[in-house]
Amino acid sequence: MRRSSNRKSSSASAAAGSGSTKAASKEFEKIDHLFNVYADKSSAIIDPEGIEQLCSSLEVDYTDVRILMLAWKMKAQKQGFFTLEEWRTGLKALRADSMSKLKKALPELVKEVSRPTDFLDFYSYAFRYCLTEDKQKCIDIESACQLLSLVLGTQFGPQVDKFTEYLKSQSEYKVMNMDQWMGFYRFCNEIPFPSLENYDSDLAWPLILDNFVEWFRENQK
Amino acid sequence: MNSQSQSQSQSQRRKNFKIEAFKHKVELDPKYAERTWKVLEHAIHEIYNNNASRLSFEELYRSAYNMVLHKYGDKLYSGLVATMTAHLNKIAKSVESAQGGLFLEKLNHKWADHNKALQMIRDILMYMDRSYVPTSHKTPVHELGLNLWRDHIIHSPNIQARLQDTLLDLVQRERTGDVINRGLMRNITKMLMDLGSSVYQDDFEKPFLDVSASFYSGESQQFIECCDCGSYLKKAERRLNEEMERVSHYLDAKTEVKITSAVEREMIANHMQRLVHMDNSGLVNMLIDDKYDDLSRMYSLFKRVPEGLSTIRDVMTSYLRERGRVLVTDTERLKDPVEFVQCLLNEKDKHDKIISTAFNNDKTFQNALNSSFEYFINLNNRSPEFISLYLDDKLRKGLKGASEEEVEVVLDKVMMLFRYLQEKDVFEKYYKQHLAKRLLSGKTVSDDAERSMIVKLKTECGYQFTSKLEGMFTDMKTSEDTMLDFYAKQSAELGDGPTLAVQILTTGSWPTQLTAACNLPPEILTVCEKFRTYYLGTHSGRRLTWQTNMGTADIKATFGKGHKHELNVSTYQMCVLMLFNSADGLTYREIEQATEIPALDLKRCLQSLACVKGKNVLRKEPMSKDISEEDVFYFNDKFTSKFVKVKIGTVVAQKESEPEKQETRQRVEEDRKPQIEAAIVRIMKSRRVLDHNSIVAEVTKQLQSRFLPNPVVIKKRIESLIEREFLERDKADRKLYRYLA
């Protein structure tokens, strides 16, 4: 297919185009090689189609959270795209330079992310990653719900379920911003669920959470 | 014997000059003492028997002197004691034997005698008093005389109780209406005081107070069962005055405060609640019926007891709050805003008068009145609108013919109500709307009154409150000048066209109205365009938008039989009427289509043209009261009016309909958002870091002169500011916010 036929011809130019020294490219040779398997010939970037292919190679679903974790490790800027720099960053950190090594590195990555300090960073990264436009500060509620399930679903399942249920049922908020996003994580960590006993709406919780708590308490009755 | 040696020593030693006493003893005849004493004893007897005139003071004095001198002071003193005691015992028996009313008189009489005797005895024994008495620590003669009197007369078993009973009985009789011998009483009580204040207190005052307390306790109980509040208070006041008078006539002055507090306690303090809450005659009834005397009496009586005034104040406050609450939620009354406000003003006047006449202008009562008004006026969220409508009515016609002072009085009273409003920004919005209508329709009673009101609002709320209002006045003046210039320059071109008067309103100063422009009749359009060209010629860069919902027109109309009238109508009405120049009858829809006036306004407009008696220049089929979209309208040939000029305009300020009210409130809420944000930013800029509750409190305080912000809205604004990166949450303590420079 188109990509594979381009592979051989573009690899050299891609390596040269990145502007690294000969020694460096030697270090990244295998990694770059792997990059070019999935990268688009003309843009020299892995685009969504390439990522899809990568996923099938890794034997994970396109929507799996591990792809997001991979993006985080790469510090990828734009959702759906990996640049060569990013690819190098990620794979070097994972100490993987082949598909099999990359596959093996994934479970380790998952464990790393679940450490509290790393998770906080990952969590806020996940939000920023979804901001596709320049100067965009919010993501729409629908996407936010999906992202919450993806990122917090295993750790705080009940809260996420109820919160997304609330978000879908209300019409006041059409988007969510970073402050609210981070607030929810704090909420999951600090407030016992479903009792919500020490929640005080007079404190500095984001208003969206005040409304959620009120809705939740109303529905309990 | 020593003189020789003395003179010798004198010549030898001139410096030390000594005189030595006799070295031999001068012995008095022992019988001398006894004899001398007998003289004195006899003298005392005579004094007590009122035979003192035959005695020689000088001789007696000398005798006493000698006794003391020769060291017979003891004998003299003890003899004195014995003699006086013997006499006093005799006196005691004499007093005891007195019958009934003569008891006190006898006592008084004997007391006077005793004092006279004592005086004389003291004078005779003065030397003893001054030399022997101090050194041997004995009681001086005068005091001794008093003590002996006290011990042998006053505290004599047969006299003590009888004396107390007699005195108390006299007081009781006087209290029940008898006349007693006050002079005698005064002497007796004075006697007790002279004997020592503890004698007065123990033998008279304490029992007097006890008996009085139970007397008044009984009497007050009796009164309160059968009297109404006003009469009871009159009685209490009377008793209080009586007691004070009693003290001034025959009791010691220090008793006054004790007896008055006993009366106050028994008659007032113990019955305060019952009095204040008495059915049909208690405080509330007095307030309702303006019973100034009763109220004044209650105030001065209750002032004397602890918690008295606060009791009155509390009952008054809860009455006012309830009454106010009923007033502002009475749906009947709410139908007429002007009446509603007048009612509130009347209530204020009434209670102001009560406080100044009956409650001595007491500041705490004034404050209670103010807080009550503040409470209930804000229970109805239409109060700001209604107060503005009241002012509108007054400034439009109510104050016509009033003098400058009268105007000031009315405006000041309304300002008092204004001060109570929590949502002053809502008032501002309505006032602006109503003022705009007044200015544009030219219907204001006096420019001075309008300006005076603005000044008052500025004084109360600051420059920003009124700057836009003042802008409106400026626009009116400028428009006048513009029109003069327009006609001066354009008169040739305008010729026979309709005369135009334009008011140019600066957007921002005037209330925002979103108007859909309607279709103006062609004759009007032409002249309007001419004006637009003229204006933009001198003011390039500006944009003019015709506010067709605010204008008026004077139309000359000819009806059947040649009757001519001049109609004063709104712009909308003009558009509708001009259509009938080319058609006799038009359907609602045709009119709507031709004029493009918004439905609600069109219906109101047609209603005023066709359904109002005396102003029905149009005829409607069917003749129903309301406008439906199927109606057909005809020019009413048969219209008559005794006036040549007929006014049909509908540009009067009126109570808003429900949807209009919602819209206004929404706009107010929108306006509040930036004000809240500005307050938050101001606060955070100076404090740098602050917790959530403090921000809410500070913002509320800053904005309280305009409105009461909702804490939820404040939170939302904070979040908006976080999103726009004016603030951030503190990373360590998530209860805090931080200002981002």
Side-chain angles (χ1 to χ4, degrees):
Chain A
M1 288 132 65
R2 187 167 60 94
R3 202 167 271 116
S4 47
S5 65
N6 288 335
R7 203 193 318 163
K8 289 190 179 98
S9 50
S10 68
S11 59
S13 55
S18 68
S20 33
T21 62
K22 220 176 179 195
S25 48
K26 236 316 183 303
E27 185 195 342
F28 287 117
E29 198 178 316
K30 276 181 135 183
I31 290 177
D32 290 358
H33 184 76
L34 198 55
F35 180 78
N36 291 323
V37 172
Y38 304 100
D40 175 89
K41 169 186 81 152
S42 44
S43 61
I45 287 180
I46 300 181
D47 64 7
E49 268 188 62
I51 292 188
E52 224 180 300
Q53 294 223 325
L54 175 64
C55 287
S56 60
S57 302
L58 286 170
E59 286 166 6
V60 299
D61 195 71
Y62 184 103
T63 54
D64 194 297
V65 69
R66 285 173 282 182
I67 292 299
L68 187 55
M69 289 179 184
L70 192 58
W72 170 70
K73 204 68 187 162
M74 291 187 202
K75 304 197 204 302
Q77 292 299 306
K78 199 163 169 190
Q79 191 186 44
F81 294 87
F82 296 147
T83 65
L84 181 63
E85 272 306 309
E86 292 165 355
W87 181 262
R88 282 178 175 181
T89 310
L91 266 70
K92 182 169 178 195
L94 289 172
R95 280 194 268 269
D97 53 10
S98 68
M99 187 41 63
S100 56
K101 279 198 201 152
L102 189 56
K103 258 193 241 180
K104 283 203 194 105
L106 281 184
E108 273 304 310
L109 178 59
V110 173
K111 250 195 239 159
E112 185 193 335
V113 167
S114 16
R115 285 201 296 269
T117 36
D118 283 313
F119 188 79
L120 189 64
D121 192 54
F122 171 67
Y123 182 77
S124 66
Y125 171 81
F127 184 87
R128 284 197 305 274
Y129 193 60
C130 290
L131 301 173
T132 44
E133 305 297 322
D134 244 3
K135 303 210 184 201
Q136 184 184 357
K137 292 226 177 101
C138 307
I139 50 179
D140 65 277
I141 288 295
E142 191 57 47
S143 309
C145 288
Q146 284 175 359
L147 195 61
L148 278 172
S149 306
L150 191 67
V151 162
L152 287 180
T154 30
Q155 208 179 343
F156 295 110
Q159 289 95 318
V160 170
D161 283 342
K162 272 296 171 197
F163 190 50
T164 47
E165 190 189 325
Y166 162 70
L167 288 173
K168 288 183 185 156
S169 72
Q170 58 82 41
S171 52
E172 195 187 338
Y173 292 98
K174 304 220 169 22
V175 292
M176 187 184 283
N177 63 27
M178 176 62 101
D179 183 52
Q180 291 160 326
W181 175 258
M182 297 309 290
F184 181 67
Y185 180 63
R186 217 182 108 219
F187 174 85
C188 289
N189 275 310
E190 291 178 23
I191 305 292
F193 194 85
S195 65
L196 303 179
E197 46 190 36
N198 54 341
Y199 186 85
D200 183 0
S201 59
D202 281 337
L203 294 179
W205 292 103
L207 199 57
I208 198 173
L209 290 175
D210 290 344
N211 294 346
F212 165 59
V213 168
E214 198 182 315
W215 170 90
F216 182 75
R217 283 179 177 153
E218 275 297 312
N219 281 5
Q220 291 278 50
K221 292 183 194 160
Chain B
M1 267 75 51
N2 287 322
S3 49
Q4 222 177 6
S5 53
Q6 257 191 337
S7 41
Q8 264 184 348
S9 47
Q10 200 179 2
S11 58
Q12 281 172 3
R13 295 175 285 144
R14 291 234 177 146
K15 285 177 193 170
N16 298 334
F17 182 78
K18 277 193 215 164
I19 294 181
E20 294 178 25
F22 289 118
K23 289 245 160 80
H24 70 271
K25 268 197 177 161
V26 177
E27 280 292 333
L28 253 191
D29 182 359
K31 292 214 180 80
Y32 175 78
E34 187 60 35
R35 257 186 294 134
T36 316
W37 166 242
K38 280 294 176 217
V39 170
L40 288 164
E41 190 185 26
H42 172 76
I44 293 173
H45 284 313
E46 291 296 273
I47 288 169
Y48 269 106
N49 293 334
N50 290 314
N51 275 338
S53 51
R54 283 193 257 151
L55 301 169
S56 156
F57 173 78
E58 203 255 321
E59 188 196 327
L60 294 168
Y61 183 88
R62 213 174 351 112
S63 307
Y65 173 85
N66 281 334
M67 281 194 78
V68 172
L69 197 63
H70 295 289
K71 311 241 183 290
Y72 286 103
D74 286 339
K75 183 176 173 62
L76 179 57
Y77 193 86
S78 49
L80 171 67
V81 173
T83 316
M84 275 181 100
T85 306
H87 272 283
L88 288 176
N89 285 333
K90 259 205 307 199
I91 290 171
K93 288 212 169 31
S94 166
V95 169
E96 281 165 27
S97 65
Q99 298 282 355
L102 297 172
F103 171 73
L104 272 191
E105 280 189 40
K106 193 110 201 227
L107 180 61
N108 184 37
H109 185 69
K110 293 292 180 194
W111 165 251
D113 285 348
H114 174 72
N115 271 315
K116 265 198 279 196
L118 194 54
Q119 175 96 327
M120 285 188 236
I121 294 169
R122 206 259 323 258
D123 288 344
I124 291 169
L125 301 178
M126 189 154 320
Y127 185 73
M128 179 188 78
D129 231 4
R130 287 196 183 151
S131 51
Y132 167 77
V133 159
T135 50
S136 32
H137 308 294
K138 296 262 198 281
T139 320
V141 173
H142 182 81
E143 197 184 324
L144 173 69
L146 294 182
N147 290 350
L148 290 175
W149 176 272
R150 174 195 66 202
D151 296 339
H152 295 277
I153 309 287
I154 302 302
H155 288 169
S156 145
N158 292 333
I159 293 181
Q160 189 173 28
R162 189 173 168 192
L163 174 60
Q164 197 181 99
D165 291 342
T166 312
L167 292 174
L168 295 179
D169 179 63
L170 283 171
V171 169
Q172 173 68 14
R173 284 210 266 140
E174 195 179 41
R175 280 182 180 148
T176 50
D178 287 354
V179 177
I180 63 170
N181 186 340
R182 285 182 155 187
L184 178 57
M185 290 290 284
R186 184 174 48 241
N187 288 345
I188 300 293
T189 53
K190 192 159 182 320
M191 168 188 78
L192 293 173
M193 278 302 286
D194 289 344
L195 293 175
S197 56
S198 61
V199 178
Y200 174 78
Q201 279 167 20
D202 295 338
D203 281 88
F204 172 71
E205 199 188 50
K206 278 206 195 86
F208 165 72
L209 290 172
D210 289 339
V211 156
S212 306
S214 60
F215 171 76
Y216 283 117
S217 167
E219 191 173 77
S220 66
Q221 199 58 47
Q222 193 194 355
F223 282 166
I224 205 142
E225 296 296 334
C226 66
C227 294
D228 63 69
C229 184
S231 321
Y232 180 96
L233 291 176
K234 278 204 187 83
K235 286 195 207 287
E237 188 182 56
R238 194 167 49 98
R239 280 302 191 196
L240 208 49
N241 289 336
E242 265 176 34
E243 291 303 324
M244 291 199 278
E245 205 217 8
R246 175 165 298 116
V247 169
S248 73
H249 276 104
Y250 59 81
L251 299 180
D252 181 64
K254 290 206 198 72
T255 306
E256 180 172 318
V257 65
K258 297 178 197 173
I259 183 64
T260 49
S261 54
V263 177
E264 287 157 9
R265 191 183 56 243
E266 296 301 328
M267 293 207 87
I268 303 170
N270 288 352
H271 298 284
M272 260 195 325
Q273 289 297 327
R274 193 166 166 184
L275 284 168
V276 149
H277 287 118
M278 205 176 262
D279 281 333
N280 300 327
S281 65
L283 175 65
V284 171
N285 300 84
M286 289 181 190
L287 289 172
I288 293 175
D289 296 332
D290 291 324
K291 293 247 189 298
Y292 300 122
D293 281 340
D294 287 343
L295 288 167
S296 180
R297 185 168 301 114
M298 185 186 268
Y299 181 84
S300 53
L301 286 176
F302 278 50
K303 193 168 180 186
R304 294 164 162 269
V305 301
E307 313 278 307
L309 289 187
S310 62
T311 304
I312 301 181
R313 208 168 39 232
D314 291 344
V315 173
M316 184 184 87
T317 304
S318 56
Y319 157 70
L320 280 175
R321 286 185 173 215
E322 185 49 32
R323 170 142 179 78
R325 193 190 63 79
V326 165
L327 273 179
V328 306
T329 50
D330 178 357
T331 39
E332 268 308 301
R333 214 181 286 272
L334 291 174
K335 290 190 180 153
D336 183 351
V338 177
E339 201 33 57
F340 170 83
V341 176
Q342 189 61 52
C343 213
L344 293 178
L345 289 171
N346 294 346
E347 279 300 307
K348 181 86 185 16
D349 275 345
K350 177 192 163 83
H351 291 101
D352 275 342
K353 186 156 180 215
I354 289 177
I355 293 178
S356 68
T357 319
F359 293 158
N360 200 31
N361 252 330
D362 188 319
K363 199 106 216 297
T364 60
F365 281 78
Q366 224 4 288
N367 292 344
L369 178 65
N370 287 341
S371 82
S372 304
F373 264 77
E374 204 176 311
Y375 162 76
F376 65 71
I377 232 182
N378 290 304
L379 287 178
N380 184 341
N381 67 355
R382 295 195 85 163
S383 293
E385 185 194 349
F386 286 1
I387 294 180
S388 180
L389 282 169
Y390 179 85
L391 280 171
D392 182 77
D393 180 78
K394 289 282 169 258
L395 289 167
R396 187 185 281 276
K397 48 181 161 68
L399 287 171
K400 198 173 187 143
S403 70
E404 219 179 285
E405 292 92 41
E406 286 168 344
V407 168
E408 285 296 301
V409 165
V410 171
L411 294 184
D412 283 334
K413 286 196 177 157
V414 179
M415 278 308 288
M416 286 244 56
L417 287 186
F418 171 78
R419 274 185 207 109
Y420 297 136
L421 286 175
Q422 222 166 47
E423 299 194 295
K424 293 188 171 74
D425 60 342
V426 174
F427 173 87
E428 188 191 356
K429 209 164 214 56
Y430 283 110
Y431 191 76
K432 210 168 157 180
Q433 277 175 27
H434 300 154
L435 175 65
K437 288 199 175 117
R438 284 200 299 278
L439 287 176
L440 293 176
S441 59
K443 291 209 179 16
T444 175
V445 135
S446 122
D447 243 10
D448 286 339
E450 295 279 358
R451 294 221 176 251
S452 174
M453 191 63 208
I454 306 274
V455 167
K456 289 184 203 297
L457 286 172
K458 184 149 81 167
T459 314
E460 187 64 30
C461 302
Y463 161 74
Q464 274 162 326
F465 198 90
T466 52
S467 61
K468 296 209 178 114
L469 302 175
E470 284 172 348
M472 287 157 79
F473 282 93
T474 315
D475 280 349
M476 296 299 292
K477 187 73 184 43
T478 314
S479 301
E480 263 179 49
D481 296 337
T482 309
M483 287 320 295
L484 285 172
D485 192 55
F486 174 63
Y487 273 103
K489 294 211 172 94
Q490 305 268 317
S491 51
E493 286 184 41
L494 289 168
D496 278 335
T499 317
L500 188 65
V502 182
Q503 282 139 345
I504 302 133
L505 316 177
T506 315
T507 329
S509 293
W510 295 77
T512 42
Q513 309 261 7
L514 302 157
T515 42
C518 69
N519 292 339
L520 296 169
E523 306 95 317
I524 307 296
L525 260 179
T526 330
V527 69
C528 283
E529 278 314 303
K530 287 211 176 92
F531 180 82
R532 182 195 292 278
T533 323
Y534 155 80
Y535 187 81
L536 294 175
T538 41
H539 300 91
S540 63
R542 291 195 184 177
R543 200 169 51 159
L544 285 179
T545 318
W546 295 107
Q547 303 283 305
T548 46
N549 64 329
M550 299 218 267
T552 56
D554 289 324
I555 314 180
K556 289 202 177 83
T558 311
F559 296 90
K561 301 200 184 126
H563 287 143
K564 290 198 169 109
H565 290 281
E566 194 177 295
L567 308 174
N568 174 252
V569 296
S570 71
T571 305
Y572 283 158
Q573 288 163 336
M574 170 195 69
C575 296
V576 169
L577 289 175
M578 295 301 278
L579 293 175
F580 288 89
N581 272 345
S582 25
D584 271 333
L586 290 162
T587 65
Y588 175 89
R589 293 200 209 271
E590 285 172 326
I591 298 177
E592 194 182 26
Q593 216 175 23
T595 59
E596 287 187 14
I597 295 173
L600 190 63
D601 295 309
L602 182 57
K603 290 203 175 111
R604 225 193 269 166
C605 170
L606 287 168
Q607 194 152 39
S608 59
L609 289 171
C611 305
V612 179
K613 206 163 165 206
K615 313 249 168 120
N616 49 336
V617 291
L618 291 180
R619 193 168 41 90
K620 182 169 83 84
E621 272 170 19
M623 292 257 274
S624 52
K625 220 172 22 141
D626 297 315
I627 309 289
S628 94
E629 300 190 0
E630 318 302 318
D631 290 345
V632 187
F633 296 86
Y634 299 93
F635 181 70
N636 186 6
D637 228 22
K638 297 198 176 62
F639 171 77
T640 52
S641 167
K642 51 183 174 168
F643 302 109
V644 171
K645 291 194 181 173
V646 183
K647 204 162 68 166
I648 319 184
T650 50
V651 199
V652 185
Q654 41 190 204
K655 196 170 71 151
E656 282 189 325
S657 63
E658 202 45 47
E660 285 174 325
K661 191 176 76 140
Q662 297 291 1
E663 209 197 307
T664 308
R665 181 143 287 275
Q666 225 177 8
R667 272 192 254 137
V668 167
E669 292 300 331
E670 280 304 311
D671 285 345
R672 285 178 180 177
K673 285 183 187 168
Q675 291 177 66
I676 294 176
E677 286 192 358
I680 296 171
V681 171
R682 254 199 313 274
I683 291 163
M684 290 307 293
K685 198 165 176 182
S686 81
R687 306 286 218 100
R688 297 276 139 183
V689 181
L690 203 55
D691 69 282
H692 183 81
N693 283 338
S694 300
I695 293 188
V696 173
E698 282 292 320
V699 168
T700 307
K701 203 163 76 160
Q702 277 207 14
L703 293 172
Q704 73 182 35
S705 64
R706 286 190 60 80
F707 61 91
L708 190 66
N710 183 339
V712 170
V713 174
I714 297 178
K715 201 180 209 184
K716 235 184 168 159
R717 291 295 103 217
I718 293 176
E719 284 183 19
S720 170
L721 287 168
I722 290 177
E723 208 180 296
R724 287 181 275 148
E725 292 173 24
F726 284 89
L727 304 175
E728 62 173 5
R729 290 183 200 277
D730 185 273
K731 288 179 184 57
D733 183 353
R734 297 217 125 223
K735 284 196 289 294
L736 300 177
Y737 297 104
R738 214 169 253 290
Y739 180 71
L740 290 171

